[in-house]
Amino acid sequence: MASVHESLYFNPMMTNGVVHANVFGIKDWVTPYKIAVLVLLNEMGRTGEGAVSLMERRRLNQLLLPLLQGPDITLSKLYKLIEESCPQLANSVQIRIKLMAEGELKDMEQFFDDLSDSFSGTEPEVHKTSVVGLFLRHMILAYSKLSFSQVFKLYTALQQYFQNGEKKTVEDADMELASREESERKMEKEELDVSISFDLFFSREEEVSCSGPLSQKQAEFFLSQQASLLKNDETKALTPASLQKELNNLLKFNPDFAEAHYLSYLNNLRVQDVFSSTHSLLHYFDRLILTGAESKSNGEEGYGRSLRYAALNLAALHCRFGHYQQAELALQEAIRIAQESNDHVCLQHCLSWLYVLGQKRSDSYVLLEHSVKKAVHFGLPYLASLGIQSLVQQRAFAGKTANKLMDALKDSDLLHWKHSLSELIDISIAQKTAIWRLYGRSTMALQQAQLLLSMNSLESVNAGVQQNNTESFAVALCHLAELHAEQGCFAAASEVLKHLKERFPPNSQHAQLWMLCDQKIQFDRAMNDGKYHLADSIVTGITALNSIEGVYRKAIVLQAQNQMSEAHKLLQKLLIHCQKIRNTEMVISVLLSVAELYWRSSSPTIALPVLLQALALSKEYRLQHLASETVLNLAFAQLILGIPEQALSLLHMAIEPILADGAVLDKGRAMFLVAKCQVASAASYEPLKKAEVLEAAIENLNEAKNYFAKVDCKEQIRDVVYFQARLYHTLGKTQERNRCAMLFRQLHQDLPFHGVPLINLL
């Protein structure tokens, strides 16, 4: 945020170098930058319609509003902006300012006297009530209130402003000339380093020379613009450090500016700074009470309203950082004050936060249903919709059928469209994407994610900002990346992640979503490629973002490295913890890993009860993906126990959902297991029928190998080609056998071997 330094001009709110607390008592004052804008407006009025083309005038009109509302900028930058819109007018403005700055004080006096002529005549150049007219009148009034000494200081500041602008223009020209000469003599890399160093130097100089107080309108415009960007498109807002520096500069001149404290609170939330965000939030409500802003709009009730909403916001802040005890205490305080004031709206918000704090309890759905009914009764569609979506999410984890959940979300969508709640429409679609993925319907999840992306790309907000940097957008893109990775489309997943990194930089509040997604995809690829040391290093990053997921994947790495006892201890601890917090999806995954440990340790009979428990849970909670994976493990256990016919019939029941919505790796494992069962069941067949079954098994193995190749799963490909070589040998096909044997040997030499007969594994 730039403004002319206070030492270069007289600030009417400064007395003996001290800024008064009511620095925004006067809405505007005259600065050298605003004189330059007045010159631009005057030249636009004097220039005839034929001298400036229609497109140039349109660009100038679009430029005016940010110039009038925005902070002060340097003269060279102003010249550049005008020149981009209309080069002819930029030259006229430059000459006019030069004549005024190099002339005498009476030239500036005459300029302000002539400004009043813009409103004279039957058809004035500027209407008094227009945006430009109000700006001109404010400047004329502010200038007329200045004493002679103040006018002289303003003129001196104008001369200094002009000299700095001219100096910057000359230096820019010299730099451009120097860079051209440098390009002829030095390498391209050296030229780039020189130009970057020059740019950094001038940007710092401009920043130092333009830090100062803003007028009320400039400050309000800056705060509203940054708040809007933080909500809709965080990447276009200032960086956290830069924004905090500007807010500190703003608060230095007006410590009681409540809105600046609130924006500081939002800015500190971006970087997860709990101390500074709490400090700024408390200061915001303190200033709100001290300035009497609430009392003016709400009478005597304003003071109590600030207190209860301060407690409510403090509870939300503590809940965001996981301080649930402090959040509960603050929420109790908010409820007590709201009940004393009979504020049903505040109580309704408190009820919603009560559910958030107690959602792990078994009876929390009763509280949530009551919250939705009350929100509808008091006409709060936003809270009612959030309550419905929370209820849907809770019932999805409880295993309710998808059709009932989608009907509930349909009712929620009616509220969104009726009240134009576009943000909640995005959240609803993201919720549907997550529900379909939870239930193992990848095609439906992909459809919903693409629907959300298409909707967001069409909905623009102010200043060309796309409202696609919200949490729902990040969630949809993460699902999209994971779905592509599951199907072996790693290049497409990388493109989605690259887009996510651009949309949500590492310092943004939703960056953890794509960070975890990226780490999980890298982990899966490393495990498929047999690079367990690399997967082990990735586990650290996953644990930092999600401790439960990190512990689970650490156990998978230990299991792959044949460290069975360590993996079993870790899985047992994780199983107890997940059962305690009711994380059913992770409980089933842990049970499957425990069962795999048992049959890898040649104890398939012990694995059967564990697999049946996992199957019962996945059926109860309608988790199709995990149910299919459990059936695969059950079929393999039956194959090991010597009953391949039952295993094959079990596979025929489960293979359809796997091929329809399963990951590529699961499809390959399913086809590989079908081939194994076919071969095992054909042992007692007639030679002719046995040969037909073995040919069919080879076809299934080819299909499995293609699936494994998509995800670059070399260990599974090694097992497949070994099995194919054995089958070709049985059928007497020597050439095909030798080809598969050679491929097996190459893979076996490249891959690590941990002493486990991997060809028997699923």
Side-chain angles (χ1 to χ4, degrees), residues 11-13 22-31 34 68-70 72 134-135 137-139 141-142 145 213-221 257:
N11 179 1
M13 289 295 104
N22 61 342
V23 68
F24 294 146
I26 294 180
K27 289 185 178 295
D28 235 333
W29 54 75
V30 186
T31 65
K34 290 172 183 173
L68 297 179
Q69 292 182 329
D72 294 3
L134 289 172
F135 177 75
R137 289 163 64 190
H138 285 158
M139 290 298 100
L141 181 61
K145 289 183 177 181
L214 296 181
S215 66
Q216 181 183 2
K217 286 187 175 181
Q218 288 176 327
E220 289 174 352
F221 175 73
F257 196 14

Side-chain angles (χ1 to χ4, degrees), residues 455-471:
M455 288 185 63
N456 266 316
S457 64
L458 299 175
E459 183 178 350
S460 61
V461 289
N462 295 333
V465 176
Q466 297 295 323
Q467 193 176 359
N468 52 8
N469 283 52
T470 56
E471 185 180 11

Side-chain angles (χ1 to χ4, degrees), residues 48-60:
E49 294 184 1
V52 179
S53 67
L54 182 62
M55 287 301 298
E56 288 177 337
R57 185 167 291 276
R58 183 176 297 174
R59 286 196 295 267
L60 285 170

Side-chain angles (χ1 to χ4, degrees), residues 520-724:
K520 288 163 68 175
I521 292 174
Q522 289 183 31
F523 177 87
D524 291 338
R525 294 194 69 179
M527 290 297 294
N528 292 341
D529 204 17
K531 298 177 180 178
Y532 303 137
H533 63 286
L534 179 60
D536 196 18
S537 64
I538 296 173
V539 166
T540 306
I542 296 177
T543 307
L545 297 168
N546 189 325
S547 58
I548 295 177
E549 192 75 31
V551 173
Y552 172 66
R553 292 182 183 257
K554 177 66 177 178
I556 291 177
V557 174
L558 291 173
Q559 182 179 345
Q561 292 174 340
N562 204 24
Q563 301 179 34
M564 300 301 180
S565 59
E566 292 85 353
H568 186 265
K569 291 177 183 177
L570 211 56
L571 288 171
Q572 288 297 331
K573 291 180 181 179
L574 184 60
L575 180 62
I576 294 171
H577 177 70
C578 291
Q579 287 173 339
K580 184 178 178 181
I581 64 173
R582 299 181 182 179
N583 188 346
T584 309
E585 191 175 5
M586 185 56 71
V587 166
I588 298 172
S589 299
V590 172
L591 288 174
L592 291 177
S593 297
V594 171
E596 186 177 350
L597 277 175
Y598 288 145
W599 53 253
R600 284 183 67 141
S601 304
S602 302
S603 303
T605 53
I606 306 176
L608 282 176
V610 179
L611 289 173
L612 291 174
Q613 183 185 355
L615 183 61
L617 283 173
S618 56
K619 292 288 186 181
E620 179 184 353
Y621 289 92
R622 292 178 172 81
L623 305 178
Q624 178 184 284
H625 167 67
L626 291 172
S628 301
E629 190 174 348
T630 307
V631 170
L632 287 183
N633 283 273
L634 275 171
F636 182 69
Q638 290 177 336
L639 176 63
I640 295 176
L641 292 172
I643 43 177
E645 294 81 5
Q646 292 186 16
L648 197 58
S649 62
L650 192 63
L651 279 173
H652 287 317
M653 293 169 54
I655 202 166
E656 183 179 347
I658 293 175
L659 295 179
D661 294 302
V664 169
L665 185 59
D666 290 336
K667 294 177 183 178
R669 295 172 66 202
M671 298 309 298
F672 190 17
L673 185 56
V674 167
K676 284 183 178 182
C677 293
Q678 286 175 331
V679 173
S681 61
S684 59
Y685 290 173
E686 296 293 331
L688 186 59
K689 187 178 180 182
K690 182 178 180 180
E692 293 178 358
V693 172
L694 294 183
E695 289 287 353
I698 290 174
E699 290 297 322
N700 289 330
L701 288 172
N702 284 328
E703 189 175 351
K705 185 169 65 174
N706 292 334
Y707 285 134
F708 291 139
K710 286 184 179 180
V711 290
D712 199 23
C713 192
K714 294 179 181 178
E715 283 194 2
Q716 298 282 11
I717 295 174
R718 177 183 64 181
D719 298 344
V720 168
V721 295
Y722 172 83
F723 208 64
Q724 280 184 319

Side-chain angles (χ1 to χ4, degrees), residues 505-524:
N507 59 359
S508 62
Q509 55 184 334
H510 303 311
Q512 289 187 0
L513 294 171
W514 64 258
M515 287 179 180
L516 181 59
C517 175
D518 188 19
Q519 294 285 315
K520 288 163 68 175
I521 292 174
Q522 289 183 31
F523 177 87
D524 291 338

